[in-house]
Amino acid sequence: MLADRESQLLDNLEEALADPLRSARSFEGEMAESRRLRFERRRLALLVALGDLSGRFDLTRVTGLLSDFADDALDRAIRTAIRERTPDVEPRGFAAIALGKLGSRELNYSSDIDPILIFDPVTLPCKPREAPEDAAVRIGRRVIELLQSRDADGYVMRVDLRLRPSPEATPIALPVDAAISYYESQALPWERAAFIRARACAGDIALGEAFLAAIRPFVRRRAVDYGTIREIRDISRRIRDHYAQAQAFGPKYDLKRGRGGIREVEFFAQIHQLIHGGRDPALRVPATRDALAALAADGRIDADDAAALSAAYTELRTVEHRLQMVDDLQTHTLPAGQEALDNVAALHGLRDGAALIERLRPHVERTGRVYDALAGEEEPRLPADPETLEACLKEAGFDHPAGALRIVEGWRGGGYPALRSPQAREALEALLPGLIAAFAQAPDSTHAITRFDAMLSRLPSAINFFRLLEAQPGLRQLMSTILCHAPTLAEQLGRRAELLDGLIDASALDPVADIPTLIGEMAARERGADYQWQLEHVRRLVGEKRFALGAQIVAGASDPLEVSYGYARIAEAAIEVLARATVDEFERAHGRVPDSELVILALGRMGDRRSPTPRIST
């Protein structure tokens, strides 16, 4: 036992518990850094466990001490790895970004650490004629060896580098610029959630903090990314499915992954931080209980729910620590055997395993209910079998169910660029029941689904679009109404899928600007653009704005007379811009007619500025 091996710590236990980190480091004898770190780790584990079991250290103190040691050990491993290769150079240009529980300073006794290793090719010390990329990989391997290799003295900590971008294809240490580029342009939704708890924890801290500052817009978006939120919910569902045997509460229950467990408290807080943290810096706190408190104080979640989840997290994490005190096992599962369960209960100050189960039950049940309300019910899906699906389409009201079946099967086959990825097809599946129900109600359901199919064929990517439609029924209803009841607008949408952008961000429902503003927008020209580019530019903007006005009519968002005046303002601005461009083009080709000017007269409804289809004379 550790107490036998480190009996000298117990001789002055009060002093040792006053500063466990200092006491863990205070022992005599010269030794290699790797061995010294192993000694420190086991000494600290003993002191933290004694402070924990005696009630002297609360959960925050326990996890903070373990996390502080991990930061220090990782930093010393990086410096050792660099100095072993280049002894006369200051260690710099290599940093560790802490994610997960290390990032939020919530490590448990047997936690892995999940860093991302980055380096600066300009400042990283290298051997002569050595490429920085090769040096960084060798340093990273040595860091892992120093921390997780085992001998008679144990090990320091396990290191998991699989949270880095594309771990199956990328080196273990990434150039900082390449890492920034990845997170700005290619990162997956779940990676945003991972960085909620990120911090620079070891090595060149300035390099790590500069990296985090550069990718902050990727993590903290002002607009809600419904794809990310759905991804986290899907992770939770997959965890429940994968660990199905550990979901039932009682012996063998998984404190971390079970329904109502630690992970669901963490996900609950992170989802709300993703929704609101982009606009409110006060919510950008990494620790789970701090995040719950901040969300409740800001009115983003129910205060009673926040208090209940915080209490559950404290109790579950504390019992998790009791499990890991036994043989230093990386486990989160309550023992199946009565004797082992009674032992864990005794460590927690309870009479037996049954008392431990009853102590945890209300926390688990309350957490499960709160998280279930956030995750929602299991979504209905359309049948996969073609015959059953065709019958379903017929029952829904499609006038040509066989044709609709062919279109849906084409989507499921991933024939369009926007549907090539499994994630896109999964997002479509979640949306299909509501979409099909809306199309079936159209006067001509075949035309409605055909127009949507034409629009879909032109989209380069559609995952976030599908998830946005799923999350915002009002937007889905507006698009369905356009496709079903406004043939002209539907044809425009089918030809130009980019018109969706105005519906997605609701800018299509904004009032039309005044004529000078419209002229400024239409007259903007790219450097070197010619007359034909100007014509196409105005044609595109007029099309977008006319579509937007039509959408306002369909949505009932504007008074029809105001829409009519909007059409007239668009027409007048377009005429002004194109007239100037035409005169300039004529002058370049033929010269200017002396003492001449072009006059355009608006007649009819265009004349009184309310014509959607102006007639002009020149």
Side-chain angles (χ1 to χ4, degrees), residues 250-252 334-346 350-357:
K252 300 173 61 174
L334 294 177
Q338 188 61 50
E339 183 178 351
L341 187 61
D342 288 346
N343 183 58
V344 174
L350 300 173
R351 67 178 185 277
D352 55 24
L356 176 63
I357 294 296

Side-chain angles (χ1 to χ4, degrees), residues 32 46 52 56 71-72 81 101 129 140 166 185 214 255 268 288 291 311 358 382 445 450 460-461 468 487 497 528 543:
L46 174 60
D52 185 357
R56 178 162 179 166
D71 284 356
D72 182 62
K101 285 184 170 63
R129 295 182 297 279
S166 305
S185 61
L255 297 170
F268 183 88
T288 302
E358 292 310 308
L382 289 184
S445 57
T450 301
S461 176
L468 189 62

Side-chain angles (χ1 to χ4, degrees), residues 7 67 101 108 117 124 185 224 256 275 336 418 439 455:
S7 58
S67 301
K101 285 184 170 63
N108 58 40
L117 304 179
L124 182 70
S185 61
V224 178
K256 179 179 179 180
I275 294 173
F439 292 156
M455 181 187 69

Side-chain angles (χ1 to χ4, degrees), residues 178-198:
I180 291 172
S181 176
Y182 172 83
Y183 287 110
E184 287 179 340
S185 61
Q186 302 177 49
L188 298 173
W190 66 265
E191 290 173 301
R192 278 189 63 209
F195 270 89
I196 283 180
R197 300 192 285 181

